[in-house]
Amino acid sequence: MSIRAVKRIIQATPTIEGAGVKLRRGFGFGDTTDFDPFLLFDDFRNDVPRDFLAGFPWHPHRLGNRGALGAGDVQWMTAGSGIIHQEMPRGDPQGRMHGFQLWANLPSSLKMTNPRYQDVPARDIPEITDDDGTRVRVVCGDFWGKTGPVQGVAADPRYLDVWVPPGKRKTLPVETTRHAFAYVFEGAGTFRDASQPLAPKTELVGSPGATGETGNRSLVLFDRGDEVVVQAGDQGIRFLLVSGRPIEEPVAWYGPIVMNTPEQLRQAYAELQDGTFIKKR
């Protein structure tokens, strides 16, 4: 077995999107080759309603649904040939809005596939508790004998919500052929074969093989290998562990529309202007 080294650690940066929504971005836009097949990851946790209520008004995607997401729910949208939708967060009764957004690329052969939504309530997401108290919610993909409810995604992702109890050291399998990253959103800990938890760091760590100390809003990009090791700190650690098979195709991307070539991108925006963008109604 081969433990994945930490390639780099990135602290999610403040960003404003939509009509003024304040969020944190782990990665997105620019060169996302190291994250292929994933294009963007955002952390929407916010306790101040005025910072998110303006939402994301009507906008197109090319990568008819109405739904409401509650605590622990998941929506997976395949934009395919094109949709125009809006996302309008409301927050919970205490005025909090906490969530994550992950964009996965589509191969060129499926760029114009029919759009679809998969709305998954929290109760349908399997949760596994290991002997040491580690808990894993399986959103997408197969893990420890369970299969997540999100199905039929071209990037074949595995999307896990992992909690490791205080002081525990845990090894989690990740296939060598996949790119993988972790995003810490509770507690702190250390990745990459460490024996003792260290204080969290919030700066970029650029050298491969770094010990991988992490805290809240730290994104850990892993190098190749077939397992990830995490040492939980005194408060435990909770993180998303995401992996997928690289598509290895060129990306032409502007705003919410992702294609393979600049010409395809220009065509998509021309269709948006002349009213032919939506292919399925």
Side-chain angles (χ1 to χ4, degrees):
M1 304 297 284
S2 167
I3 297 174
R4 285 182 177 245
V6 172
K7 199 168 187 178
R8 64 180 185 269
I9 300 175
I10 303 164
Q11 188 71 6
T13 57
T15 304
I16 297 178
E17 286 288 2
V21 177
K22 294 182 179 181
L23 52 87
R24 300 283 186 122
R25 177 154 293 156
F27 64 89
F29 299 97
D31 184 3
T32 56
T33 303
D34 284 344
F35 295 95
D36 183 15
F38 305 109
L39 297 169
L40 177 145
F41 178 83
D42 284 342
D43 179 343
F44 289 94
R45 288 178 292 162
N46 200 316
D47 294 336
V48 182
R50 68 175 177 271
D51 288 343
F52 64 79
L53 282 177
F56 306 88
W58 294 105
H59 58 280
H61 281 285
R62 182 160 285 174
L63 292 165
N65 182 73
R66 178 184 296 271
L69 299 183
D73 295 348
V74 171
Q75 182 185 84
W76 196 283
M77 178 192 77
T78 301
S81 62
I83 61 166
I84 295 178
H85 75 163
Q86 62 177 343
E87 299 150 299
M88 305 303 291
R90 295 181 182 176
D92 67 8
Q94 287 74 47
R96 301 171 299 182
M97 190 274 292
H98 295 183
F100 306 100
Q101 176 176 244
L102 175 69
W103 288 16
N105 200 5
L106 283 169
S108 57
S109 61
L110 295 175
K111 279 286 196 293
M112 301 301 289
T113 193
N114 291 342
R116 67 177 179 135
Y117 288 85
Q118 298 181 64
D119 293 316
V120 179
R123 64 178 178 272
D124 290 346
I125 299 174
E127 181 173 307
I128 312 156
T129 302
D130 207 5
D131 293 342
D132 64 356
T134 296
R135 298 193 306 269
V136 180
R137 297 176 73 232
V138 185
V139 176
C140 187
D142 297 322
F143 191 76
W144 285 353
K146 298 290 185 180
T147 299
V150 175
Q151 300 288 326
V153 180
D156 188 26
R158 177 185 286 165
Y159 191 115
L160 309 175
D161 174 357
V162 182
W163 162 253
V164 180
K168 297 295 184 179
R169 186 173 185 268
K170 196 67 181 176
T171 299
L172 303 167
V174 181
E175 289 88 343
T176 305
T177 55
R178 294 169 172 262
H179 284 167
F181 69 89
Y183 185 77
V184 180
F185 61 100
E186 285 182 18
T190 308
F191 289 87
R192 180 61 178 103
D193 199 21
S195 58
Q196 296 294 329
L198 302 175
K201 282 191 176 180
T202 59
E203 60 192 10
L204 178 69
V205 178
S207 58
T211 52
E213 312 96 282
T214 62
N216 190 26
R217 294 191 171 96
S218 294
L219 188 144
V220 183
L221 175 65
F222 296 105
D223 215 329
R224 293 301 178 114
D226 52 22
E227 58 186 19
V228 166
V229 173
V230 58
Q231 171 73 50
D234 293 340
Q235 303 301 314
I237 186 171
R238 188 177 180 188
F239 56 95
L240 303 178
L241 181 58
V242 181
S243 64
R245 301 185 189 281
I247 293 174
E248 298 180 337
E249 291 183 355
V251 174
W253 182 4
Y254 183 76
I257 300 180
V258 181
M259 301 301 293
N260 288 96
T261 68
E263 177 55 37
Q264 291 171 343
L265 193 60
R266 285 191 291 270
Q267 179 182 344
Y269 273 95
E271 292 174 356
L272 191 61
Q273 292 297 316
D274 67 21
T276 61
F277 182 80
I278 302 300
K279 307 302 182 186
K280 298 289 183 180
R281 297 184 184 274

